C-alpha cells in the first residue's frame, strides 16, 4: 500500500515516526516534518522525482515481513527521492538506546545513471553541511580503502575523520559501513558504501574504534570508484529521526514509535486484507 507525499509528511507532523515535543524543546529546533519537507523540497528542486514509499508490510519472510529499507523490487529510472518508513526486527529490544526506534524514516536518493561517479555522495554531503549546518569537523566516515579517492576529492571529507575497516570484514557484516549486503535481503543488494556518523548531542567522544561509541549513524551512501567511466546506479540517504537528533531537535521516543508502528501495520493489514506479519508480534511483545 503506497503512501502519498502529502499523507507521509502529515504522518511525520502528527508523530507517526515517534517524535514528541517536550516543554524544553527549542522553538527553532528541527522536527521530523520540517526536515522531511526540507529534504524533498531541496532535492526535488535539483531534479529528483518524488516516488511514493512502499508499504510497511513487505509480504516477505525477511525481517519479520516488515519493510527493511527503501530498496524496491523494480528500480526507478532517472533521479528519484524516497521518504520511506521502515522497521528492523533487531531493534525490537532497542528501547533506551539513543537513536534506535521501532518505526523510523529513511530519506533516500537514487540515481540510475549518474553523470559522473560520486555525484550523489557529493550532493548529499554538501546538503548536510551547507543546508543542515552539520559541523564537518565532527563528521566521521566509516568505510574501506575504497573510500580513499573520495577523501582526496572532497574537502568536507578531509575536514572530518575517517575510520577504515578491513574490506573482508565489512563485506561479511554487510551492515552499510563499508559494504551493504544484509544477509537474507530479498533484493540481494551488494555494493560498496560509506556510513556517516555524528556525535550524540552534548558529547565529544574521542574513541574512533568501530563500532563507534557515542555517535549516531546518520546516513549511508554507495561509493562508485571515481575512475570508472561507465557509472551504474548510486544510492544513499539518511535516517530522518537521527538527523533531527544530530541537529539538536527533540529526541525520539521508542515507545511512541513502537505504538505508531503497530498502528501502521494493523491499518495496512486491514486495508489490504493481508495477515499481520511476524514482525507485528515481535514488536507487540517488546
Amino acid at each position: 500500500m503506497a503512501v502519498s507525499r502529502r499523507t507521509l509528511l502529515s504522518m511525520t507532523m502528527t508523530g507517526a515516526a515517534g517524535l514528541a515535543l517536550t516543554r524544553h524543546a527549542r522553538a527553532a529546533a528541527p522536527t521530523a516534518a520540517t526536515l522531511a519537507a526540507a529534504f524533498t523540497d531541496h532535492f526535488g528542486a535539483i531534479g529528483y522525482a518524488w516516488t511514493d514509499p512502499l508499504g510497511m508490510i513487505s509480504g516477505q519472510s525477511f525481517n519479520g515481513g516488515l519493510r527493511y529499507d527503501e530498496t524496491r523490487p523494480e528500480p526507478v529510472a532517472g533521479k528519484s527521492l524516497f521518504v520511506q518508513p521502515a522497521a528492523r526486527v533487531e531493534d525490537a529490544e532497542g528501547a533506551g538506546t539513543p537513536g534506535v526506534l521501532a518505526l523510523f524514516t529513511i530519506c533516500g536518493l537514487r540515481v540510475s545513471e549518474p553523470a559522473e561517479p560520486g555525484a550523489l555522495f557529493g550532493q548529499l554531503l554538501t546538503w548536510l553541511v551547507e543546508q543542515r549546518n552539520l559541523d564537518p569537523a565532527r563528521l566521521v566516515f566509516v568505510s574501506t580503502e575504497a573510500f580513499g579517492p573520495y577523501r582526496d576529492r572532497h574537502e568536507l571529507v578531509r575536514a572530518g575523520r575517517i575510520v577504515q575497516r578491513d574490506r573482508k570484514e565489512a563485506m561479511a557484516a554487510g551492515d552499510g559501513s563499508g559494504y551493504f549486503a544484509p544477509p537474507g535481503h530479498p533484493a540481494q543488494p551488494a555494493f560498496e558504501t560509506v556510513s556517516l556518523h555524528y556525535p550524540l548531542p552534548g558529547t565529544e567522544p574521542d574513541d574512533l574504534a568501530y563500532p563507534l561509541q557515542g555517535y549516531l549513524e546518520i546516513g549511508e551512501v554507495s561509493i562508485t570508484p571515481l575512475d570508472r567511466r561507465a557509472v551504474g546506479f548510486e544510492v544513499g540517504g539518511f535516517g530522518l529521526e537521527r538527523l533531527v537528533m544530530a541537529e539538536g531537535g527533540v529526541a525520539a521516543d521508542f515507545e511512541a514509535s513502537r505504538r505508531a508502528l503497530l498502528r501502521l501495520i494493523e491499518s495496512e493489514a486491514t486495508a489490504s486484507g493481508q495477515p499481520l506479519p511476524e514482525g507485528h508480534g515481535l514488536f507487540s511483545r517488546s
Side-chain angles (χ1 to χ4, degrees), residues 1-225:
M1 184 180 72
V3 181
S4 71
R5 179 179 186 271
R6 180 176 180 179
T7 299
L8 186 65
L9 296 184
S10 175
M11 285 167 57
T12 64
M13 289 181 189
T14 56
L19 296 176
L21 294 176
T22 70
R23 290 180 304 166
H24 305 291
R26 292 184 292 111
T31 66
T34 59
L35 188 49
F39 167 75
T40 57
D41 289 347
H42 175 83
F43 287 100
I46 61 173
Y48 286 85
W50 167 268
T51 304
D52 287 344
L54 300 165
M56 179 55 65
I57 301 175
S58 69
Q60 304 280 347
S61 59
F62 173 70
N63 193 43
L66 303 179
R67 188 65 53 192
Y68 185 84
D69 61 5
E70 75 278 23
T71 304
R72 308 179 80 83
E74 297 295 332
V76 179
K79 298 168 66 174
S80 53
L81 66 85
F82 310 86
V83 180
Q84 177 65 58
R88 297 182 180 174
V89 293
E90 62 263 31
D91 294 335
E93 304 300 327
T97 303
V100 173
L101 296 174
L103 173 63
F104 63 96
T105 314
I106 300 169
C107 291
L109 303 171
R110 191 183 193 280
V111 184
S112 57
E113 296 181 1
E116 62 178 18
L120 188 151
F121 172 82
Q123 289 176 340
L124 185 59
L125 178 60
T126 299
W127 183 75
L128 288 171
V129 172
E130 295 186 0
Q131 301 295 318
R132 304 314 309 169
N133 298 316
L134 294 190
D135 181 353
R138 304 183 75 201
L139 280 167
V140 177
F141 304 87
V142 180
S143 188
T144 66
E145 65 272 17
F147 188 60
Y150 281 74
R151 175 196 58 220
D152 297 338
R153 173 176 289 189
H154 293 282
E155 182 179 349
L156 291 178
V157 173
R158 295 192 298 275
R161 293 184 287 179
I162 297 173
V163 173
Q164 181 170 307
R165 297 181 73 185
D166 177 78
R167 188 171 185 273
K168 290 183 179 179
E169 173 190 303
M171 291 182 69
D175 58 8
S177 291
Y179 204 83
F180 184 72
H185 195 300
Q188 299 182 317
F191 48 84
E192 311 268 4
T193 62
V194 58
S195 56
L196 285 66
H197 305 249
Y198 206 72
L200 285 164
T203 68
E204 293 294 340
D206 293 323
D207 185 7
L208 289 185
Y210 187 81
L212 298 177
Q213 301 298 315
Y215 287 85
L216 291 165
E217 181 178 337
I218 59 174
E220 297 173 3
V221 188
S222 64
I223 50 173
T224 305

